[in-house]
């Protein structure tokens, strides 16, 4: 289905007037009517952003998007993971600067890779009005009228292929800005397909960004035998485990390996101060409705200090490990 088209439900609905708003009913109206049972959607619906989305003409295209409900749920789930990372990066929220980071996002720089139309960036802009937000996507045809809304004034869109040096420069600059302001840079990618997920980890490692939140989507295509993840389906079949779960573990391992030398350049060449340990987590969010609902998070241990929870080594010694779930794919790897 084309982006921006109404759902089947929405097609019927679009013929019915939405009396209170003096317009045709759209997909978002259906998503938000009645009792909202999904916790992520309910949390979104409790924000003032709901009203802007329902009423402002700049969100018109967005609210008619057939998959807006799914994207809102997934984006809210990612937002919660980012909040956890912020808590790890600024554990002492009693200090004024840290409290601002938690409350308004002051000092925080977010880079949303493969953002699509930026549902997550939209939520971030609202939840962290003092943060700086960069959206990167390679699709030049995307319509982004909602970025003209005043609540999106801290969002910048970059038309970039994440595999290029240009995209790497965007992340490097974001990290530099965050560090200049005494803040932190968080890289995030939601529903990244195949090799895009690996690239997100690579960019995070290579740029020294302080945290990563990644929700991988489909598996890498079988193209090159030497490509990372090329064998994942076959390996999973042999191991009799879920292939998406195995793919997530592979990405977790890539993130947990960190830089190794702490200089943030991804080369592990010993130029850093030796504090490259990262605090990683892999969890399945049961409230996300799509089957691809694993989140990998990685928070870099501060130089000369420790992120809350310590690093991978610390977790090992404290007994972090695999926590089985109710069914295939519902397990977690926990860095306690
Ligand atoms: C599955 S969508 C995910 C969109 C959004 N993150 C979400 O959760 O809805 C994948 C997005 O990646 C973008 N994309 C694909 N290849 C890309 C690349 N090489 N560089 C940047 N963006 C890319 C597509 O344009 C698309 O918007």
């Amino acid at each position: 289905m084309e982006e921006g088209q109404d759902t089947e439900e929405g097609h019927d609905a679009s013929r019915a007037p939405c009396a209170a708003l003096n317009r045709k009913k759209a997909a978002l109206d259906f998503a938000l009517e009645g009792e909202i049972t999904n916790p992520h959607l309910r949390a979104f619906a409790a924000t003032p952003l709901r009203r802007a989305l329902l009423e402002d003409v700049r969100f018109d295209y967005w609210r008619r998007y057939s998959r807006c409900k799914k994207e809102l749920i997934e984006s809210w789930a990612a937002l919660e993971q980012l909040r956890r990372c912020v808590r790890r990066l600024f554990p002492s929220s009693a200090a004024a600067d840290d409290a601002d980071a938690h409350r308004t996002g002051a000092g925080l720089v977010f880079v949303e890779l493969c953002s699509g139309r930026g549902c997550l960036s939209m939520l971030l802009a609202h939840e962290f009005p003092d943060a700086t937000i960069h959206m990167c996507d390679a699709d030049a045809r995307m319509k982004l009228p909602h970025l003209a809304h005043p609540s999106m004034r801290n969002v910048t869109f970059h038309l970039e292929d994440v595999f290029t040096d240009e995209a790497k420069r965007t992340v490097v600059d974001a990290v530099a800005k965050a560090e200049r302001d005494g803040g932190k840079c968080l890289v995030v990618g939601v529903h990244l397909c195949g090799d895009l997920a690996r690239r997100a980890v690579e960019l995070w490692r290579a740029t020294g960004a302080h945290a990563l939140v990644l929700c991988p989507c489909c598996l890498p295509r079988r193209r090159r035998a030497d490509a990372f993840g090329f064998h994942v389906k076959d390996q999973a079949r042999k191991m009799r485990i879920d292939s998406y779960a195995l793919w997530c573990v592979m990405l977790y391992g890539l993130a947990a390996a960190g830089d190794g030398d702490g200089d943030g350049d991804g080369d592990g060449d010993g130029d850093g101060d030796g504090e490259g340990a990262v605090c990683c987590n892999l969890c399945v969010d049961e409230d996300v409705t799509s089957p691809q609902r694993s989140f990998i998070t990685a928070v870099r241990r501060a130089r000369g200090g420790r992120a809350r929870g310590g690093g991978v080594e610390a977790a090992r010694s404290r007994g972090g490990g695999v926590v089985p779930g109710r069914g295939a794919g519902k397990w977690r790897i926990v860095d306690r």
Side-chain angles (χ1 to χ4, degrees), residues 75 96 134 165 325:
S75 299
H134 298 281
D165 286 345

Side-chain angles (χ1 to χ4, degrees), residues 71 74-75 112-117 136-139 142 160-163 189-193 196 217:
E71 281 198 17
E74 287 163 0
S75 299
E112 186 184 4
L113 301 172
C114 305
S115 60
R117 285 180 306 147
C136 302
D137 199 283
D139 186 352
M142 230 155 31
E160 282 169 356
D161 182 329
V162 295
F163 290 101
V190 181
H191 270 194
L192 302 200
C193 307
L196 291 172
C217 189

Side-chain angles (χ1 to χ4, degrees), residues 3 37 68 104 124 131-132 161 182 218 233-234 242 275 282 287 309:
E3 191 179 290
T37 50
C68 62
T104 68
L124 285 170
T132 302
D161 182 329
C218 43
K233 269 191 183 169
D234 302 324
D242 179 70
E275 293 199 16
L282 170 53
D287 294 321

Side-chain angles (χ1 to χ4, degrees), residues 137-148:
D137 199 283
D139 186 352
R141 297 162 308 164
M142 230 155 31
K143 295 175 189 163
L144 302 165
H146 55 284
L147 293 190

Side-chain angles (χ1 to χ4, degrees), residues 181-217:
D181 299 346
K184 304 286 180 189
C185 174
L186 298 92
V187 172
V188 55
V190 181
H191 270 194
L192 302 200
C193 307
D195 203 42
L196 291 172
R198 182 204 57 81
R199 177 61 176 165
V201 178
E202 183 177 61
L203 281 176
W204 171 72
R205 286 180 58 171
T207 58
H210 305 92
L212 170 75
V213 169
L214 175 64
C215 175
C217 189

Side-chain angles (χ1 to χ4, degrees), residues 8-308:
E8 230 170 84
E9 185 184 33
H11 276 308
D12 289 342
S14 64
R15 290 182 206 114
C18 192
L21 299 170
N22 198 23
R23 61 164 173 76
K24 288 175 181 172
K25 218 166 173 180
L28 185 65
D29 299 304
F30 280 98
L32 298 177
E33 72 183 2
E35 190 196 348
I36 301 172
T37 50
N38 183 281
H40 295 318
L41 192 62
R42 202 165 49 226
F44 159 75
T47 67
L49 192 57
R50 169 196 182 135
R51 188 165 175 185
L53 257 73
L54 287 172
E55 296 181 9
D56 195 287
V57 69
R58 284 161 286 201
F59 291 102
D60 182 51
Y61 184 78
W62 210 96
R63 66 178 159 256
R64 287 187 290 114
Y65 180 37
S66 60
R67 294 194 291 186
C68 62
K69 179 177 176 180
K70 174 182 170 287
E71 281 198 17
L72 280 169
I73 290 172
E74 287 163 0
S75 299
W76 197 275
L79 173 71
E80 290 198 341
Q81 296 294 337
L82 285 165
R83 281 193 191 286
R84 278 185 199 117
C85 292
V86 172
R87 285 199 289 274
R88 289 201 162 215
L89 290 167
F90 293 97
S92 55
S93 56
D97 286 356
D98 291 3
D100 282 348
H102 289 269
R103 214 182 48 242
T104 68
L108 300 181
V109 182
F110 296 96
V111 184
E112 186 184 4
L113 301 172
C114 305
S115 60
R117 285 180 306 147
C119 185
L120 174 59
S121 290
M122 187 169 74
L123 299 181
L124 285 170
H126 180 265
E127 294 293 303
F128 296 111
D130 290 342
T132 302
I133 299 150
H134 298 281
M135 287 168 56
C136 302
D137 199 283
D139 186 352
R141 297 162 308 164
M142 230 155 31
K143 295 175 189 163
L144 302 165
H146 55 284
L147 293 190
H149 189 268
S151 66
M152 305 286 132
R153 66 188 177 288
N154 51 346
V155 181
T156 308
F157 176 70
H158 304 258
L159 182 61
E160 282 169 356
D161 182 329
V162 295
F163 290 101
T164 61
D165 286 345
E166 205 187 347
K168 183 176 173 186
R169 171 59 47 197
T170 297
V171 188
V172 167
D173 290 349
V175 174
K177 181 193 169 359
E179 290 187 342
R180 257 194 326 271
D181 299 346
K184 304 286 180 189
C185 174
L186 298 92
V187 172
V188 55
V190 181
H191 270 194
L192 302 200
C193 307
D195 203 42
L196 291 172
R198 182 204 57 81
R199 177 61 176 165
V201 178
E202 183 177 61
L203 281 176
W204 171 72
R205 286 180 58 171
T207 58
H210 305 92
L212 170 75
V213 169
L214 175 64
C215 175
C217 189
C218 43
L219 308 181
R221 290 213 195 110
R222 298 171 189 225
R223 276 178 312 208
R224 285 175 27 201
D226 59 341
F228 180 82
F230 173 84
H231 293 295
V232 66
K233 269 191 183 169
D234 302 324
Q235 287 167 323
R237 198 180 312 115
K238 290 256 185 217
M239 294 161 81
R240 295 171 195 238
I241 58 171
D242 179 70
S243 49
Y244 175 71
L246 181 58
W247 176 229
C248 291
V249 172
M250 290 173 74
L251 292 165
Y252 171 93
L254 201 60
D259 179 23
D261 66 355
D263 63 355
D265 65 3
D267 62 4
D269 64 0
D271 290 343
D273 58 10
E275 293 199 16
V278 290
C279 178
C280 284
N281 198 356
L282 170 53
C283 65
V284 178
D285 188 327
E286 303 276 351
D287 294 321
V288 171
T289 42
S290 90
Q292 285 87 22
R293 50 185 157 181
S294 290
F295 284 86
I296 296 155
T297 60
V299 177
R300 232 179 261 286
R301 198 168 82 186
R303 287 180 196 173
R306 301 170 61 83
R308 207 176 78 192

